Amino acid sequence: MSESNGSEGRRFPAPQELAASANVGPDVYERAEADRLAFWEEAARRLTWTQDWDQVLDWSNPPFAKWFVGGKLNVAYNCLDRHVEAGHGDQVAYHWEGEPGDTRTLTYAQLTEEVCKAANALIELGVQAGDRVAIYMPMIPETIVAMLACARIGAVHMVVFGGFSADALASRITDAGAVVVVTADGGYRRGAPSALKPAVDDALTRTEGVRNVLVVKRTEQDVEWTEGRDLWWHDVVDRQSPQHTAESFDAEHPLYIMYTSGTTAKPKGILHTSGGYLTQVAYTHWATFDLKPDSDVYWTAADVGWVTGHSYIVYGPLANRATSVVYEGTPETPHRGRWFELIEKYRVSILYTAPTVIRTFMKWGEDIPAGFDLTSLRVLGSVGEPINPEAWLWYHQNIGGGRCPVVDTWWQTETGAHMITPLPGVTDLKPGSAQTPFPGISAKVVDDEGNELGDDSTGLLVLTAPWPSMLRTIWGDDDRYVDTYWSRFGKEVYFAGDGAKKDADGDVWLLGRVDDVMNVSGHRISTTEVESSLVAHPAVAEAAVVGASDPTTGQGIVAFVILRGSAQDSGEDLVQQLRTHVSKDIGPIAKPRQIMVVQELPKTRSGKIMRRLLRDVAENRELGDVTTLTDDSVMNLIKEKLPASSSSEG
Ligand code: WTA
């Protein structure tokens, strides 16, 4: 939690020119307030349906919602064909830029053809509506093509971020029951090819049910080949017909599963469905960013392997006929001005990214963006974690030239789309605050008992009415869905897991997670997941993991481990080994920033590890209240041993 949350006094009114031509005006809140369901129904009318719904919302069996009951549509048709049919086939859907500087441009007509071919290929491989397809890819156009091909034939895609390990991939494939994996030889990151296929090969030794692996050639790295199972994308997809007639599916037909960390070691397969999801991602993308399909160039600078990529690189922008930029690589490759160069090159007008990147740019210095022409920008967005007012102001000034509204959008994998955000032509902006529930969204701040709090108070964020793009369940685990999100305050109140404050004006400030989930560079990682990985190492007897605040990544992972007797003297080497172990086990994003070897861990009398105290140590603070500890000398022991036993940035 940032000290300055709520204390930054400056206001930035909506620029008049933007307000005058904005897609939505202040009346949108009143309309939604007057009739929430009619409001969402109107939003759904922006899509093309082949059959109308009988009922907007069925909430007769909470927390299992059905939206647009009886309605039918095809999600890919809505993202592609209908724009081509309306005469926009030549409009660019994606300006894609590879990290080495190679480029590809895909118009709506071309993208439609590619998706039809890929859909025909999946059908040839026996993929049917409802089957699950795993996608483990770099940021290349085929990733988006594969997702849309699944959507087109009613298959459920399950994208696993390319930075995840073989283990993580295997467990997700098993949990989802995927029958096909789409991958690539590799992708480019930080100036070098980074392999993906070996992780798939490794994962498939540990899971059954995958019949085929479709491999895109990107980096030309050598790959191992399993005859009969592995197929080159270019062999199978390129020869297919570019014609495919999209069948309509029920509004509640599953669209995708996206795994996210929970408070236990097992990730949760968040399930999204079709009609409600597309309605809300399309509407929010259009309203929150004031997207003008004929003139804007839109860029979500995130990986498609996260929900932000699903909703705001793929589905929202395409449903709105946006022209988007997609970039494969990292911001510092081959130089620290790469993003700004892309903004200049493509005349990007809307940029959407995460606070961790903005703080990195701050560290690199404002001279870098100042060296490029960023005058095409008109709206800036932030997502993934609370944006501290300093970073907001820096973003506004140094990237937005002081003229672009910054919309700080709060939402989650589970919510599917924006839930709390200012609107660029409506809201007077407060740096650091997500401010206002989106029209048609009911977000409240409550105390521990669930009582709604008034202005000027701090509590827990809840959502008190269903919304179209809400998750429908956790894949294969309805009970966990109910327990995790809908039991703390009853079956009709969604518990988000975030702390929030309402200021004197009623604006919402997000304060970070209240559960054992860390937020590292905008990625959710569970403390338990990292702990289980550490304990699985033969040298570790016990482990406790905390997220310590970090000036760049938001939180950094700090682990405290007790070694097994035989491993006691292994020292620095072992610490490095453990960091590598976690990185291999879960993925590089889960690699602990620091591991401290300790003799004991602070525990309450009931045996719970007191993470709060460990966080104090990790953040070099005076220790908080230790009175509930079984033995408060433990903390002195830990503190005394520092920094000798601590290791290690890197
Ligand atoms: C955090 C990413 C503050 C929050 C879309 C949430 C934010 C979790 C914001 C979801 C924001 C996301 N301000 N916190 N604007 N956006 N968060 O599922 O803790 O990867 O619960 O979805 O990120 O992360 P997820």
Side-chain angles (χ1 to χ4, degrees), residues 260-261 306-308 312 352 355 382-387 407-415 417 420 432-434 461 494 496-499 509-514 517 519 522-524:
T260 185
S261 292
W306 305 105
V307 75
T308 304
Y312 298 105
Y352 190 33
S382 172
V383 58
E385 52 179 318
I387 179 164
V407 288
D408 174 14
T409 60
W410 178 88
W411 59 294
Q412 309 177 300
T413 306
E414 292 86 343
T415 71
I420 305 179
S433 171
L461 182 69
Y494 175 89
D498 278 291
W509 298 72
L510 278 308
L511 303 174
R513 303 287 308 181
V514 295
V517 176
N519 190 325
H523 302 320
R524 279 161 70 173

Side-chain angles (χ1 to χ4, degrees), residues 103-126:
T103 61
R104 280 165 71 186
T105 304
L106 283 158
T107 64
Y108 273 92
Q110 289 165 335
L111 185 62
T112 305
E113 287 202 351
E114 292 305 315
V115 170
C116 287
K117 285 194 214 168
N120 287 327
L122 291 176
I123 291 168
E124 185 180 300
L125 297 179

Side-chain angles (χ1 to χ4, degrees), residues 79 83 88-96 104-109 111 144 285 289-300 312-326 342 345-352 378:
C79 291
H83 306 316
H88 300 289
D90 292 337
Q91 182 179 333
V92 173
Y94 292 110
H95 292 290
W96 175 82
R104 280 165 71 186
T105 304
L106 283 158
T107 64
Y108 273 92
L111 185 62
I144 297 170
H285 178 255
F289 299 117
D290 189 39
L291 187 279
K292 303 280 196 273
D294 294 321
S295 52
D296 275 318
V297 177
Y298 175 83
W299 184 16
T300 289
Y312 298 105
I313 295 177
V314 182
Y315 292 111
L318 291 177
N320 288 326
R321 186 174 46 87
T323 293
S324 294
V325 169
V326 173
L342 291 174
K345 174 174 174 184
Y346 294 107
R347 307 292 301 153
V348 171
S349 54
I350 305 171
L351 176 68
Y352 190 33
R378 64 181 199 92

Side-chain angles (χ1 to χ4, degrees), residues 14-25:
Q16 277 187 3
E17 201 186 324
L18 195 155
S21 63
N23 288 345
V24 295

Side-chain angles (χ1 to χ4, degrees), residues 4 6-13 389-390 392-394 396-397 402 427-433 435 503 505 507 509:
S4 48
S7 62
E8 166 62 50
R10 292 178 67 183
R11 298 285 173 280
F12 295 83
E390 301 71 29
W392 193 106
L393 290 166
W394 192 93
H396 184 258
Q397 190 54 42
T427 317
D428 281 356
L429 302 170
K430 286 183 187 173
S433 171
Q435 298 192 266
D503 68 15
D505 306 323
D507 281 318
W509 298 72

Side-chain angles (χ1 to χ4, degrees), residues 71 93 137 179 230 235 241 252 292 369 402 434 471 481 519 584 607 625 645:
M137 293 278 269
V179 293
D230 297 351
D235 283 342
S241 157
E252 285 298 337
K292 303 280 196 273
L471 76 167
Y481 168 67
N519 190 325
K584 278 175 99 166
D625 183 8
S645 64

